[in-house]
mmCIF file of all heavy atoms in Angstrom:
data_model
loop_
_atom_site.group_PDB
_atom_site.id
_atom_site.type_symbol
_atom_site.label_atom_id
_atom_site.label_comp_id
_atom_site.label_asym_id
_atom_site.label_seq_id
_atom_site.Cartn_x
_atom_site.Cartn_y
_atom_site.Cartn_z
ATOM 1 N N GLN A 371 77.279 107.487 136.246
ATOM 2 C CA GLN A 371 76.245 107.195 135.258
ATOM 3 C C GLN A 371 74.882 107.446 135.891
ATOM 4 O O GLN A 371 74.333 106.589 136.567
ATOM 5 C CB GLN A 371 76.351 105.745 134.777
ATOM 6 C CG GLN A 371 75.437 105.425 133.599
ATOM 7 C CD GLN A 371 75.635 103.990 133.104
ATOM 8 O OE1 GLN A 371 75.807 103.067 133.882
ATOM 9 N NE2 GLN A 371 75.607 103.824 131.788
ATOM 10 N N GLN A 376 74.126 109.655 130.009
ATOM 11 C CA GLN A 376 75.411 109.094 129.615
ATOM 12 C C GLN A 376 76.411 109.135 130.755
ATOM 13 O O GLN A 376 76.293 109.928 131.681
ATOM 14 C CB GLN A 376 75.993 109.793 128.393
ATOM 15 C CG GLN A 376 76.379 111.243 128.598
ATOM 16 C CD GLN A 376 75.309 112.148 128.041
ATOM 17 O OE1 GLN A 376 74.144 112.016 128.397
ATOM 18 N NE2 GLN A 376 75.712 113.059 127.192
ATOM 19 N N SER A 433 97.201 99.005 124.820
ATOM 20 C CA SER A 433 95.767 98.717 124.959
ATOM 21 C C SER A 433 95.019 99.974 125.357
ATOM 22 O O SER A 433 95.457 100.729 126.213
ATOM 23 C CB SER A 433 95.523 97.629 125.999
ATOM 24 O OG SER A 433 94.122 97.432 126.170
ATOM 25 N N GLU A 434 93.888 100.173 124.701
ATOM 26 C CA GLU A 434 93.066 101.336 124.972
ATOM 27 C C GLU A 434 91.859 101.031 125.837
ATOM 28 O O GLU A 434 91.084 101.919 126.159
ATOM 29 C CB GLU A 434 92.577 101.930 123.634
ATOM 30 C CG GLU A 434 93.662 102.621 122.846
ATOM 31 C CD GLU A 434 94.116 103.899 123.524
ATOM 32 O OE1 GLU A 434 93.271 104.638 124.055
ATOM 33 O OE2 GLU A 434 95.347 104.148 123.532
ATOM 34 N N LYS A 435 91.670 99.775 126.199
ATOM 35 C CA LYS A 435 90.416 99.439 126.835
ATOM 36 C C LYS A 435 90.373 99.893 128.291
ATOM 37 O O LYS A 435 91.363 99.851 129.013
ATOM 38 C CB LYS A 435 90.145 97.936 126.754
ATOM 39 C CG LYS A 435 91.022 97.082 127.628
ATOM 40 C CD LYS A 435 90.592 95.624 127.513
ATOM 41 C CE LYS A 435 91.434 94.738 128.416
ATOM 42 N NZ LYS A 435 91.042 93.312 128.267
ATOM 43 N N LEU A 436 89.194 100.321 128.682
ATOM 44 C CA LEU A 436 88.898 100.588 130.081
ATOM 45 C C LEU A 436 88.314 99.311 130.669
ATOM 46 O O LEU A 436 87.429 98.699 130.075
ATOM 47 C CB LEU A 436 87.876 101.716 130.212
ATOM 48 C CG LEU A 436 88.351 103.135 129.901
ATOM 49 C CD1 LEU A 436 87.161 104.058 129.727
ATOM 50 C CD2 LEU A 436 89.264 103.643 131.006
ATOM 51 N N GLY A 439 84.664 98.195 137.043
ATOM 52 C CA GLY A 439 84.053 97.424 138.097
ATOM 53 C C GLY A 439 82.555 97.315 137.848
ATOM 54 O O GLY A 439 82.029 97.846 136.867
ATOM 55 N N LYS A 440 81.865 96.630 138.767
ATOM 56 C CA LYS A 440 80.434 96.422 138.588
ATOM 57 C C LYS A 440 79.597 97.613 139.013
ATOM 58 O O LYS A 440 78.394 97.659 138.753
ATOM 59 C CB LYS A 440 79.980 95.186 139.366
ATOM 60 C CG LYS A 440 80.485 93.884 138.790
ATOM 61 C CD LYS A 440 79.869 92.687 139.503
ATOM 62 C CE LYS A 440 80.323 91.398 138.841
ATOM 63 N NZ LYS A 440 79.687 90.210 139.477
ATOM 64 N N ARG B 155 89.645 109.010 118.191
ATOM 65 C CA ARG B 155 89.543 107.688 118.793
ATOM 66 C C ARG B 155 88.085 107.383 119.119
ATOM 67 O O ARG B 155 87.369 108.242 119.636
ATOM 68 C CB ARG B 155 90.404 107.606 120.045
ATOM 69 C CG ARG B 155 91.885 107.692 119.715
ATOM 70 C CD ARG B 155 92.755 107.893 120.933
ATOM 71 N NE ARG B 155 94.159 107.930 120.534
ATOM 72 C CZ ARG B 155 95.029 106.963 120.816
ATOM 73 N NH1 ARG B 155 94.642 105.923 121.524
ATOM 74 N NH2 ARG B 155 96.280 107.062 120.402
ATOM 75 N N TYR B 157 85.382 104.173 120.617
ATOM 76 C CA TYR B 157 85.325 102.932 121.373
ATOM 77 C C TYR B 157 83.886 102.422 121.409
ATOM 78 O O TYR B 157 82.938 103.207 121.494
ATOM 79 C CB TYR B 157 85.790 103.150 122.819
ATOM 80 C CG TYR B 157 87.056 103.953 122.969
ATOM 81 C CD1 TYR B 157 87.030 105.344 122.943
ATOM 82 C CD2 TYR B 157 88.285 103.325 123.151
ATOM 83 C CE1 TYR B 157 88.192 106.089 123.095
ATOM 84 C CE2 TYR B 157 89.450 104.070 123.304
ATOM 85 C CZ TYR B 157 89.391 105.449 123.273
ATOM 86 O OH TYR B 157 90.543 106.179 123.414
ATOM 87 N N TYR B 159 81.522 99.733 123.770
ATOM 88 C CA TYR B 159 81.414 98.933 124.979
ATOM 89 C C TYR B 159 80.014 98.322 125.040
ATOM 90 O O TYR B 159 79.063 98.849 124.465
ATOM 91 C CB TYR B 159 81.618 99.796 126.246
ATOM 92 C CG TYR B 159 83.046 100.208 126.485
ATOM 93 C CD1 TYR B 159 83.605 101.304 125.814
ATOM 94 C CD2 TYR B 159 83.853 99.510 127.385
ATOM 95 C CE1 TYR B 159 84.918 101.681 126.045
ATOM 96 C CE2 TYR B 159 85.170 99.887 127.615
ATOM 97 C CZ TYR B 159 85.685 100.968 126.940
ATOM 98 O OH TYR B 159 86.989 101.336 127.156
ATOM 99 N N GLN B 161 77.164 96.930 127.947
ATOM 100 C CA GLN B 161 76.848 96.940 129.370
ATOM 101 C C GLN B 161 75.565 96.154 129.605
ATOM 102 O O GLN B 161 74.501 96.525 129.105
ATOM 103 C CB GLN B 161 76.682 98.372 129.892
ATOM 104 C CG GLN B 161 76.469 98.466 131.383
ATOM 105 C CD GLN B 161 76.376 99.904 131.864
ATOM 106 O OE1 GLN B 161 76.110 100.833 131.102
ATOM 107 N NE2 GLN B 161 76.611 100.113 133.157
ATOM 108 N N GLY B 166 79.308 96.536 134.969
ATOM 109 C CA GLY B 166 79.973 97.672 134.359
ATOM 110 C C GLY B 166 80.165 97.423 132.877
ATOM 111 O O GLY B 166 80.035 96.296 132.391
ATOM 112 N N TYR B 172 88.019 99.167 119.467
ATOM 113 C CA TYR B 172 88.558 100.523 119.465
ATOM 114 C C TYR B 172 89.082 100.865 118.071
ATOM 115 O O TYR B 172 89.705 100.042 117.404
ATOM 116 C CB TYR B 172 89.673 100.607 120.504
ATOM 117 C CG TYR B 172 90.779 101.589 120.223
ATOM 118 C CD1 TYR B 172 90.543 102.952 120.215
ATOM 119 C CD2 TYR B 172 92.079 101.140 119.983
ATOM 120 C CE1 TYR B 172 91.570 103.846 119.965
ATOM 121 C CE2 TYR B 172 93.110 102.030 119.736
ATOM 122 C CZ TYR B 172 92.844 103.383 119.725
ATOM 123 O OH TYR B 172 93.858 104.268 119.484
ATOM 124 N N GLU B 180 91.989 97.412 118.038
ATOM 125 C CA GLU B 180 91.875 96.495 119.167
ATOM 126 C C GLU B 180 90.469 95.912 119.193
ATOM 127 O O GLU B 180 89.486 96.623 119.005
ATOM 128 C CB GLU B 180 92.169 97.241 120.479
ATOM 129 C CG GLU B 180 92.351 96.347 121.695
ATOM 130 C CD GLU B 180 92.794 97.127 122.920
ATOM 131 O OE1 GLU B 180 93.015 98.354 122.831
ATOM 132 O OE2 GLU B 180 92.913 96.494 123.992
ATOM 133 N N ARG B 224 93.480 111.766 126.659
ATOM 134 C CA ARG B 224 92.689 110.617 126.232
ATOM 135 C C ARG B 224 91.518 110.438 127.192
ATOM 136 O O ARG B 224 91.353 109.393 127.786
ATOM 137 C CB ARG B 224 93.572 109.383 126.174
ATOM 138 C CG ARG B 224 93.121 108.406 125.112
ATOM 139 C CD ARG B 224 94.201 107.398 124.859
ATOM 140 N NE ARG B 224 95.399 108.032 124.354
ATOM 141 C CZ ARG B 224 96.557 107.408 124.251
ATOM 142 N NH1 ARG B 224 96.675 106.168 124.660
ATOM 143 N NH2 ARG B 224 97.604 108.024 123.763
ATOM 144 N N GLY B 229 78.453 108.298 124.808
ATOM 145 C CA GLY B 229 77.105 108.578 124.361
ATOM 146 C C GLY B 229 76.099 107.985 125.324
ATOM 147 O O GLY B 229 76.471 107.338 126.312
#
Side-chain angles (χ1 to χ4, degrees):
Chain A
Q371 188 177 40
Q376 66 260 54
S433 176
E434 288 291 320
K435 71 177 182 182
L436 288 165
K440 290 187 176 183
Chain B
R155 293 168 179 250
Y157 314 83
Y159 286 82
Q161 185 177 20
Y172 150 67
E180 191 173 357
R224 211 166 298 169

